[in-house]
Amino acid sequence: MNGTSSKKAEVLKRGKKPSAYRRIVTRNVNGKSVVQSDDHMQAYEFKAVPGYEHTLIWLNAATPDLSNEQSFERYPDSVVPGPGGTSLHFVTFPPDSTFADPSFDGAAARDEALIRLRGLAGHFEKEDPGMHKTNTVDYAVVYDGEIWLELDDSETLHLKRGDVVVQNGTRHAWRNKGTKPVTMLFFLNGAAA
């Protein structure tokens, strides 16, 4: 077995899912639905936070106009949509122990998040890392693994695969108190404040 094959086998043994998602986009042409694109979206792996991945699948910054072809060709100025807009994200969170490791560089992680998660990372609280609030209604689905949702006054809910949270613009944080990564699917709906 060559080195590449053995690395792939080792990744599969550990149960790690591929860091890519297939995105199929459709459109109407002369009154018929057709495939506009069929791509694999590679996850962005944070350099400062091992195991933390983000994949922005789609973004409509505001209410889409279906009389025009929809496209998503460049990384946006904000991953958080405005009123009437939407965005769809896959996020893999490493265990919280990653952040407690002596080699973890919080400043580097914050700087990288401000670039990759533009429009969102600026909402993360310095006094309580991870806590944030945006003007969105979020549908958060536990896709794989388990995670803890933290709300105000340290209220915490344990969530497992298939659980769904409807987040109505409330202050919250996602905490992975387990020992394995967890992947979530987030659908953000821009709302009025």
Side-chain angles (χ1 to χ4, degrees):
M1 190 181 271
N2 68 32
T4 303
S5 295
S6 63
K7 284 181 184 175
K8 285 183 183 177
E10 183 59 30
V11 167
L12 291 174
K13 277 186 202 172
R14 290 192 311 248
K16 185 175 182 333
K17 295 197 179 317
S19 297
Y21 301 93
R22 184 177 179 195
R23 181 188 71 187
I24 300 163
V25 179
T26 63
R27 68 178 184 160
N28 289 303
V29 176
N30 299 323
K32 295 196 182 243
S33 58
V34 299
V35 172
Q36 176 177 312
S37 63
D38 185 344
D39 302 305
H40 283 84
M41 307 293 295
Q42 190 67 37
Y44 175 83
E45 297 178 285
F46 282 76
K47 291 157 192 59
V49 185
Y52 185 26
E53 296 181 350
H54 175 256
T55 309
L56 179 60
I57 301 292
W58 195 263
L59 174 91
N60 288 313
T63 304
D65 177 359
L66 294 179
S67 65
N68 295 317
E69 182 178 311
Q70 301 302 300
S71 65
F72 178 63
E73 297 169 359
R74 66 176 186 84
Y75 206 78
D77 292 333
S78 176
V79 299
V80 177
T86 61
S87 62
L88 183 65
H89 312 250
F90 271 106
V91 179
T92 298
F93 296 97
D96 285 355
S97 59
T98 301
F99 303 99
D101 188 282
S103 66
F104 177 70
D105 183 345
R110 191 170 31 261
D111 290 346
E112 188 174 11
L114 286 168
I115 294 167
R116 177 61 190 189
L117 302 175
R118 291 185 288 231
L120 174 62
H123 292 275
F124 293 149
E125 299 175 7
K126 289 182 183 178
E127 309 78 37
D128 195 352
M131 288 297 279
H132 62 286
K133 177 181 174 182
T134 56
N135 290 333
T136 57
V137 174
D138 306 342
Y139 307 144
V141 180
V142 182
Y143 183 76
D144 186 42
E146 55 187 303
I147 197 160
W148 286 256
L149 169 64
E150 182 180 327
L151 300 172
D152 283 332
D153 300 325
S154 300
E155 181 178 356
T156 305
L157 299 162
H158 181 213
L159 307 169
K160 295 181 180 176
R161 186 178 192 274
D163 289 345
V164 179
V165 175
V166 178
Q167 192 79 323
N168 287 300
T170 55
R171 182 176 176 266
H172 67 283
W174 301 101
R175 310 286 189 203
N176 183 353
K177 298 178 183 183
T179 58
K180 297 178 182 175
V182 60
T183 299
M184 297 191 65
L185 178 65
F186 293 97
F187 183 78
L188 280 60
N189 300 280

